[in-house]
Amino acid sequence: MCKSFLRLSIISRILLQSNPIHAFTSIRKPSSQMICLSQRRMTPSFSSSSWDSGTGILSLAPSDLSQPSSTGPQLAKDVDYAEAILKAWTSDANERTAKQLSTCRNIEYKCNSKDDTSLYGCIYRRSHFMEGNASSIPGLILFHTGAGPQDMFLRWKADSLVNDKELFPNGCVVLIADIIGDGEGWAWTDRLRYETVRKSILVPDEKGERNELKCRIQAAIDTLSAQPGVDAKQIAALGFCMGGHPILELARMNVPSVKVLVTYHGVFDGVDRLSHVSSNGASSTSDDELTTTKPSVLVCTGEDDPFVGKQDLAVATSMFNDIGCNCRVMSFQNTRHGFTNPAQDYNPSDAFAFNEDSYSKSWSATRDLLKRHLN
């Protein structure tokens, strides 16, 4: 590996711990294009959002998706990012053997902390679902990267899961959760604000706890569980990049309804400062119940990812195991950060790259895990 790449990797890792996409964000002029949402830039109004086509984004121009709007958020870093996701999403939709249609709507929900924080998520489900349907279907939570919840990559993943008829014959409901309180897509451009919020959520207190993060995670679980048709006892969560933190915290919270936890290029910086949680001390339930309710965990990481330190990964893995989770680590050779996202091929940093083989293997392993534990 050349010296320039090593220097860049070291610098990039330092930046990511507080500012994971600063090096490739850009500010663009507003557009008036509407994007499957009902919100205003400065005063989001997700609570009044109606159901719209889950694939409506595919009909929009990359230039409109990569800039903020008076009627919707910025959903992509730039035109190249938008074009890459549109291409991958369209190909995915065209290859589906069973044609399904998804529907989505924005949802504003609250974290009942001292600040009563508003969070801005997006719900995906199959469009033929009827509100009066009594059948119970699994629920999945997607935790976002440092780009925030207003990321079209996550909408593609949500649409793909909802339309996976082999995996979910009766359907599923997906919540793109919000950890930072971003309804406008400001995380793409306002990195100072992002750094401040990230620190307030992820840095443990003097007791080694992250109560604000727990509150936002619990708010996501409650919001998903309250959706019509969702089986509140069959929940899974997938986290990308920064989303590794809520996945680890969710395991520490010992929520019996959560059956599967997966991270992709998940970062675990600072987790060595967290308080110790063991399978014996995590809950007052019986030992038998603790054994049966612990989630299965899959950690997918790249060996050439400069943002996921070996020590951080070892500490996180040890925590999963100490809690009593069945934790499996898939480590991919010649794989850098962001390997699940085709748009990372346009990232100017050598620390990032899409890896189709690693993505395919990690997604296949995820589907196998979901099939075993959510059906």
Side-chain angles (χ1 to χ4, degrees):
M1 187 179 294
C2 66
K3 292 182 179 180
S4 61
F5 175 76
L6 286 173
R7 286 196 298 269
L8 180 57
S9 296
I10 293 171
I11 294 171
S12 297
R13 182 175 181 183
I14 293 172
L15 287 172
L16 181 76
Q17 289 182 354
S18 62
N19 191 358
I21 61 169
H22 172 77
F24 53 93
T25 53
S26 60
I27 300 175
R28 297 178 181 272
K29 296 179 180 179
S31 163
S32 59
Q33 180 70 49
M34 179 171 287
I35 309 174
C36 181
L37 305 172
S38 176
Q39 76 174 70
R40 300 179 185 274
R41 265 190 76 198
M42 302 307 295
T43 55
S45 180
F46 276 37
S47 59
S48 61
S49 178
S50 59
W51 291 98
D52 290 287
S53 169
T55 55
I57 290 174
L58 297 180
S59 65
L60 301 180
S63 58
D64 290 316
L65 292 166
S66 57
Q67 54 189 338
S69 163
S70 60
T71 53
Q74 180 174 343
L75 291 174
K77 174 178 65 97
D78 52 28
V79 170
D80 287 339
Y81 188 103
E83 287 180 342
I85 301 301
L86 288 173
K87 180 179 179 181
W89 192 345
T90 300
S91 176
D92 178 26
N94 290 338
E95 291 177 0
R96 294 169 188 163
T97 55
K99 298 299 181 183
Q100 301 283 348
L101 295 176
S102 66
T103 185
C104 71
R105 73 178 178 92
N106 279 342
I107 182 169
E108 179 180 356
Y109 58 104
K110 295 286 187 178
C111 170
N112 295 320
S113 62
K114 60 182 180 180
D115 297 325
D116 198 28
T117 305
S118 290
L119 302 169
Y120 305 95
C122 187
I123 295 284
Y124 267 79
R125 70 187 322 146
R126 289 185 189 168
S127 57
H128 66 259
F129 178 84
M130 302 299 292
E131 292 288 336
N133 194 335
S135 65
S136 293
I137 54 179
L140 292 90
I141 302 173
L142 303 186
F143 289 110
H144 57 78
T145 71
Q150 308 308 326
D151 184 353
M152 59 188 295
F153 167 78
L154 295 174
R155 309 214 173 195
W156 165 34
K157 294 289 94 184
D159 175 64
S160 180
L161 286 164
V162 165
N163 284 297
D164 194 330
K165 194 170 183 179
E166 179 184 355
L167 182 58
F168 300 114
N170 297 319
C172 68
V173 176
V174 178
L175 168 66
I176 299 173
D178 179 11
I179 295 299
I180 60 175
D182 180 6
E184 307 148 26
W186 54 256
W188 289 111
T189 56
D190 193 344
R191 301 312 293 170
L192 178 60
R193 182 178 179 182
Y194 168 78
E195 291 169 12
T196 302
V197 174
R198 186 186 197 274
K199 182 178 180 180
S200 70
I201 297 169
L202 298 187
V203 175
D205 61 21
E206 64 278 2
K207 296 181 179 179
E209 299 297 332
R210 302 189 289 191
N211 293 321
E212 185 64 24
L213 177 60
K214 290 180 182 178
C215 180
R216 298 182 185 207
I217 293 170
Q218 188 62 55
I221 294 174
D222 294 343
T223 298
L224 177 62
S225 300
Q227 298 304 305
V230 170
D231 183 348
K233 297 180 180 179
Q234 294 291 317
I235 304 294
L238 317 180
F240 303 81
C241 183
M242 176 190 172
H245 281 286
I247 293 297
L248 177 59
E249 200 63 51
L250 191 45
R252 288 163 47 82
M253 291 167 63
N254 187 38
V255 181
S257 61
V258 176
K259 307 302 182 183
V260 174
L261 295 171
V262 184
T263 72
Y264 312 90
H265 37 91
V267 296
F268 300 106
D269 53 297
V271 298
D272 57 328
R273 289 175 284 175
L274 293 174
S275 63
H276 180 73
V277 176
S278 68
S279 59
N280 292 325
S283 173
S284 60
T285 54
S286 67
D287 290 340
D288 289 340
E289 186 176 352
L290 280 169
T291 301
T292 58
T293 58
K294 293 300 181 181
S296 290
V297 177
L298 175 63
V299 176
C300 303
T301 189
E303 292 187 2
D304 295 336
D305 189 336
F307 305 135
V308 184
K310 287 182 171 56
Q311 182 61 28
D312 291 339
L313 182 60
V315 171
T317 302
S318 177
M319 285 187 174
F320 281 126
N321 290 327
D322 288 346
I323 293 167
C325 298
N326 177 18
C327 181
R328 175 192 178 192
V329 177
M330 294 183 72
S331 184
F332 302 106
Q333 295 181 344
N334 303 314
T335 301
R336 290 176 255 175
H337 195 66
F339 66 84
T340 61
N341 190 336
Q344 296 301 353
D345 277 344
Y346 297 93
N347 195 314
S349 170
D350 287 338
F352 295 77
F354 174 61
N355 188 306
E356 186 171 2
D357 183 62
S358 299
Y359 160 68
S360 178
K361 289 177 179 177
S362 64
W363 196 247
S364 177
T366 299
R367 294 182 74 255
D368 289 343
L369 201 60
L370 293 173
K371 187 179 296 185
R372 290 202 306 270
H373 295 283
L374 289 189
N375 289 291

